[in-house]
Amino acid sequence: MLPDQDRTVDHLAHRLRVPLLRLDGHDADAKRGEIARRFHETFSLYERLFEHLAEPAAWYEKAITLRHPLIFYFGHTATFYVNKLQVAGLITERVNPTLEAIFAVGVDEMSWDDLDTHDIAWPAVGEVRAYRARVRALVDEQIRTMPLVLPIAMESPWWAILMGMEHENIHLETSSVLIRQLPLARVRPVAEFTAAFAAGPAPPNALLPVAGGLVSAGKDRDNPLYGWDNEYGRHRVALHDFAAGRQLVSNGEFRAFVEARGYGESCWWSPEGERWREFAKAHHPTFWVEEAGAWKLRLLATERPMPWNWPVEVNCHEAQAFCAWQSAQTGRTLRLPSEDEWRRLRDVSGVADSDQWGEAPANIGLAYGASPCAVDRFRHGDFYDVIGNVWQWTTTPIYPYEGFAVHPYYDDFSVPTFDQQHNLMKGGSFISLGHETQIEARYAFRRHFFQHAGFRYVESSNQLPEVPPYETDTAVSQYLEFHYGAEYFGVANFPAAVARLAISAMQGRPMRRVLDLGCAVGRASFELARAFTNVTGLDFSARFIQAGTELRASGRYAYTLPVEGEIVSHQSVDLHELGLAGHTKAVEFFQADACNLKPHYRGYDLVVAANLIDRLYRPRRFLEDIGARIEKGGLLVLTSPYTWLTEHTAREEWLGGFKKNGETWTTLEALRDILGGEFRLLADSPFDLPFVIRETARKFQHTIAQVTVWERR
């Protein structure tokens, strides 16, 4: 350690800025107080991060084209609390439906150019601050008043509070990256987030042996620490001996690749990496700044002369390209470690899990400052920075462990990433807090994304794990078959039939823009594109949207169907065979909440909501809002079997199917009552439309939906 490093860090407490929370104990009142402190610490720290924004324009300028401006992320974490409290049944009313429609859905784009670019009327910063204050008070009240039983289990409504806290920790980190990517003139230093380490020359790296052994990973449900659903289950693998870099690749070590013009030679890059390199026009790491023939490093709100002994921060493509180049220079076969190899390295390093820490054993959790540090500053056994400093890219796409189950409060946290497009990062960074510091943490990002992330290389004969596409998402497979599979018992394909009847009803009317609400995996959207210029498909499920987006991009999608017991059959969708491949460019898919749509979803000639209203948590709100989104003379097509269930819709929100004033009250009567002022029910409706959903080879659901067609007055 350099002498001036001692002087710059010894005034700090060296503890995680927000200590890790255990979920067990014997004193519920004490635990309630601890949760309250952690909540307010996390909530306040996140708000103080945004003090880096030096002028109003900084809130509304996109740091990169692939992400929202920072005003979105300032409001998003608060909206997440509201959404999860509602899902957990702890609240029934939203805090601010307008803001929550704007801030509901973040970004994990399918490629590097498909962020929803609709103009959004972003609210004023003061309005969002006031909204956050209301959400803070709401969550605080829940913490003070909810019954608390220890240990806190995954099924507990308290999990929604914990989920919100850990979600905010994630966005503390990702928002700090965006601040780092803003123009320097837009930001200002904040004392709490200053760099605390000095620079120096890059130390030489070397490969050191790592003894093979059994890697055992995965959480049990009684683990006393919070976890995201992808960590639960069982994973066991035996590894052979391998060698790993003693330290992370430093800026100085990476410099040779830059100076050898490695960014200009496609031979070092994977096909996907080459596409990204050409798109980004990258010539060096994104946080490197060249000025007057010298290199500087961009930090949160400052630039400093290049610290060559700090870890280089790159995306996965750049890390893989360096490994390929370095292999050619050294004559050794180097690559990124697998997740299992990183875990083995951590096991042999002897670093305890973060709930056992007093002083932080690494540059992690803002314990030493808000920047990376020298790659030989924190020693862990024979190696350095096994955890902390910067995240470490692995070569492993994230996948579910055996026994994986989706958590119902956040059913699209993990599953959309099981697509072989998201690689795991391990170890945490200087700003990682809470759950991110745990040994079992599994975070994955698209390979072109930037985080505070670097890498070490390994030389290994271990077989890389085979990560097959995730094919056990029963709901997605069932809907793919429902939308694109065989017809059963002579019943016509339902989504195609809905599209045909909607197009028929539109004859003589403009057919420009159509909104397909509850589009699921997209068959009706593609069918509507036969007649409409622009089709927007929206669904609450990111998993469904992902399937539709993949079909739009490639025209194909593989899935499995249960046959009997553990026997499955392999199926595939091919839009060419269905005559739909020529219409995909007219279709776009986005995740959205039908009960709280963003303002820009309006101006449609047709809105289709097939089998949707009896699955909404606020169907009346949806129906009262939808008229403003349809042009006069345009149509609203509703289909539903009116299967009202409390698991989807609270009893008091049902539209029909009960006694009202002693008389039978049907959903059709409710539709007439709610829509009658703005709409006219066309004379040829209602009518029935059957559909069949296959569950197994010998079990099917045969259901009758009622169709109503409404003209906007």
Side-chain angles (χ1 to χ4, degrees):
M1 183 168 62
L2 298 175
D4 58 350
Q5 287 179 310
D6 283 318
R7 292 195 298 273
T8 55
V9 302
D10 63 6
H11 70 284
L12 297 172
H14 302 338
R15 294 179 180 271
L16 300 180
R17 185 69 59 84
V18 180
L20 193 66
L21 181 69
R22 288 181 63 95
L23 309 183
D24 54 1
H26 302 287
D27 187 335
D29 289 338
K31 185 62 64 177
R32 185 189 303 275
E34 185 183 2
I35 293 172
R37 289 192 299 275
R38 297 293 175 268
F39 162 67
H40 286 290
E41 288 167 352
T42 302
F43 206 88
S44 296
L45 181 64
Y46 188 69
E47 292 183 340
R48 293 197 297 273
L49 176 71
F50 286 79
E51 293 175 11
H52 283 96
L53 304 183
E55 56 189 21
W59 292 85
Y60 303 99
E61 179 176 333
K62 289 183 179 181
I64 58 172
T65 58
L66 303 178
R67 307 304 293 269
H68 290 303
L70 280 156
I71 188 67
F72 170 86
Y73 299 100
F74 192 54
H76 171 66
T77 58
T79 291
F80 185 91
Y81 274 110
V82 175
N83 289 344
K84 299 314 168 189
L85 291 176
Q86 194 166 54
V87 170
L90 295 172
I91 61 173
T92 58
E93 296 294 329
R94 289 191 168 275
V95 175
N96 185 321
T98 300
L99 292 185
E100 284 150 10
I102 294 172
F103 294 138
V105 181
V107 176
D108 178 30
E109 80 288 343
M110 303 305 172
S111 70
W112 32 82
D113 59 356
D114 66 355
L115 173 61
D116 181 357
T117 56
H118 289 100
D119 291 333
I120 298 174
W122 298 110
V125 176
E127 185 181 0
V128 183
R129 288 194 190 280
Y131 169 69
R132 285 186 60 88
R134 292 179 64 191
V135 173
R136 183 196 286 258
L138 170 65
V139 177
D140 181 77
E141 180 184 14
Q142 294 292 328
I143 293 172
R144 287 187 291 105
T145 59
M146 271 198 300
L148 175 58
V149 176
L150 297 177
I152 300 174
M154 293 177 68
E155 298 78 15
S156 168
W158 280 89
W159 209 260
I161 302 286
L162 304 172
M163 190 174 278
M165 293 162 60
E166 294 300 345
H167 175 261
E168 196 142 49
N169 282 332
I170 293 172
H171 279 281
L172 178 80
E173 184 144 1
T174 57
S175 295
S176 72
V177 174
L178 293 177
I179 289 170
R180 200 173 172 185
Q181 292 173 311
L182 278 174
L184 199 59
R186 298 287 198 213
V187 297
R188 60 190 171 203
V190 176
E192 189 172 4
F193 295 93
T194 54
F197 294 99
N205 207 349
L207 287 166
L208 299 181
V210 181
L214 179 67
V215 169
S216 178
K219 281 182 176 174
D220 297 324
R221 294 177 67 85
D222 58 357
N223 189 289
L225 301 176
Y226 176 85
W228 296 105
D229 54 12
N230 61 47
E231 300 155 34
Y232 293 88
R234 297 166 299 281
H235 176 68
R236 306 287 185 274
V237 64
L239 295 181
H240 302 297
D241 295 349
F242 63 99
R246 176 173 54 200
Q247 61 215 25
L248 301 177
V249 173
S250 66
N251 287 311
E253 188 174 7
F254 197 86
R255 181 183 189 177
F257 176 62
V258 175
E259 292 181 345
R261 301 189 177 181
Y263 279 84
E265 297 181 355
S266 60
C267 59
W268 312 123
W269 299 79
S270 69
E272 181 186 340
E274 176 70 1
R275 292 194 300 272
W276 168 79
R277 185 184 66 83
E278 292 178 349
F279 170 83
K281 297 180 173 57
H283 301 287
H284 55 75
T286 192
F287 298 125
W288 287 23
V289 179
E290 190 173 19
E291 186 176 292
W295 289 106
K296 294 183 176 182
L297 183 67
R298 170 63 188 271
L299 301 177
L300 276 176
T302 59
E303 291 177 355
R304 63 173 299 164
M306 180 62 70
W308 296 112
N309 59 337
W310 291 13
V312 69
E313 294 163 276
V314 292
N315 67 22
C316 190
H317 295 311
E318 294 167 295
Q320 290 173 325
F322 176 88
C323 289
W325 177 83
Q326 186 77 334
S327 296
Q329 311 313 305
T330 62
R332 309 182 76 157
T333 303
L334 305 177
R335 59 166 170 81
L336 296 179
S338 66
E339 181 187 25
D340 295 329
E341 288 165 339
W342 176 88
R343 181 61 179 261
R344 181 60 184 164
L345 184 61
R346 175 154 183 169
D347 287 347
V348 302
S349 73
V351 180
D353 208 352
S354 50
D355 63 324
Q356 305 299 314
W357 297 347
E359 180 174 293
N363 182 20
I364 196 168
L366 295 171
Y368 294 87
S371 78
C373 68
V375 295
D376 56 354
R377 168 68 176 83
F378 287 94
R379 186 164 185 161
H380 303 131
D382 293 334
F383 296 86
Y384 292 90
D385 291 333
V386 173
I387 62 169
N389 213 357
V390 294
W391 288 94
Q392 300 173 45
W393 284 107
T394 76
T395 194
T396 306
I398 191 171
Y399 62 95
Y401 288 153
E402 180 185 349
F404 166 79
V406 168
H407 196 286
Y409 291 175
Y410 199 173
D411 65 356
D412 55 9
F413 178 79
S414 297
V415 172
T417 68
F418 297 155
D419 59 357
Q420 300 183 312
Q421 304 299 313
H422 294 72
N423 276 37
L424 283 152
M425 301 188 310
K426 307 298 289 187
S429 80
F430 60 85
I431 200 171
S432 298
L433 289 165
H435 169 269
E436 296 170 319
T437 65
Q438 292 181 35
I439 189 171
E440 296 289 355
R442 303 180 82 216
Y443 290 93
F445 285 86
R446 291 188 178 272
R447 290 181 279 271
H448 62 272
F449 255 35
F450 287 101
Q451 298 300 319
H452 306 296
F455 66 103
R456 80 173 73 235
Y457 44 74
V458 300
E459 184 179 41
S460 175
S461 63
N462 287 300
Q463 290 291 111
L464 291 174
E466 293 186 8
V467 180
Y470 181 60
E471 296 179 336
T472 57
D473 191 334
T474 304
V476 172
S477 294
Q478 189 177 82
Y479 268 80
L480 284 165
E481 180 68 8
F482 178 45
H483 279 227
Y484 301 100
E487 295 182 356
Y488 299 100
F489 308 112
V491 177
N493 180 284
F494 184 79
V498 170
R500 286 194 298 270
L501 70 87
I503 292 169
S504 177
M506 286 293 295
Q507 295 307 309
R509 295 178 170 86
M511 288 192 281
R512 296 161 300 201
R513 302 181 67 229
V514 55
L515 180 63
D516 183 11
L517 276 168
C519 66
V521 294
R523 175 65 181 271
S525 298
F526 292 127
E527 293 285 352
L528 289 165
R530 296 181 189 271
F532 283 81
T533 305
N534 177 267
V535 182
T536 300
L538 303 181
D539 201 278
F540 191 74
S541 169
R543 293 175 288 165
F544 287 168
I545 290 298
Q546 186 178 41
T549 301
E550 176 62 26
L551 277 165
R552 180 184 183 274
S554 68
R556 297 174 180 272
Y557 201 99
Y559 62 100
T560 58
L561 282 179
V563 176
E564 176 185 336
E566 297 178 351
I567 302 171
V568 297
S569 64
H570 294 269
Q571 308 293 325
S572 64
V573 180
D574 188 331
L575 295 187
H576 289 274
E577 294 179 358
L578 296 170
L580 295 171
H583 305 291
T584 57
K585 290 183 179 179
V587 181
E588 55 185 357
F589 293 108
F590 301 106
Q591 186 183 9
D593 179 355
C595 297
N596 202 29
L597 292 173
K598 292 181 179 180
H600 66 255
Y601 292 123
R602 61 179 62 250
Y604 294 101
D605 303 304
L606 170 67
V607 171
V608 176
N611 296 355
L612 177 69
I613 59 172
D614 58 354
R615 291 296 181 266
L616 298 178
Y617 63 91
R618 289 292 179 81
R620 176 178 287 272
R621 175 187 291 174
F622 162 72
L623 293 170
E624 290 173 343
D625 170 72
I626 199 63
R629 301 176 186 276
I630 301 174
E631 296 289 331
K632 290 185 178 180
L635 297 186
L636 169 65
V637 175
L638 300 175
T639 79
S640 175
Y642 309 143
T643 309
W644 298 104
L645 298 170
T646 55
E647 65 187 85
H648 302 298
T649 314
R651 171 61 182 77
E652 60 271 19
E653 294 290 338
W654 291 7
L655 298 181
F658 52 84
K659 294 284 187 179
K660 181 177 181 180
N661 299 324
E663 300 295 332
T664 298
W665 184 254
T666 67
T667 304
L668 180 59
E669 290 173 302
L671 293 177
R672 288 192 172 109
D673 180 58
I674 297 168
L675 297 175
E678 280 189 290
F679 290 89
R680 178 176 66 90
L681 182 63
L682 296 189
D684 56 353
S685 69
F687 57 89
D688 290 342
L689 189 66
F691 62 90
V692 173
I693 295 179
R694 180 194 187 279
E695 293 188 22
T696 71
R698 297 183 179 278
K699 184 180 180 183
F700 298 81
Q701 301 174 29
H702 184 205
T703 311
I704 309 297
Q706 186 174 76
V707 181
T708 55
V709 183
W710 306 81
E711 182 183 56
R712 174 85 157 82
R713 296 183 191 274

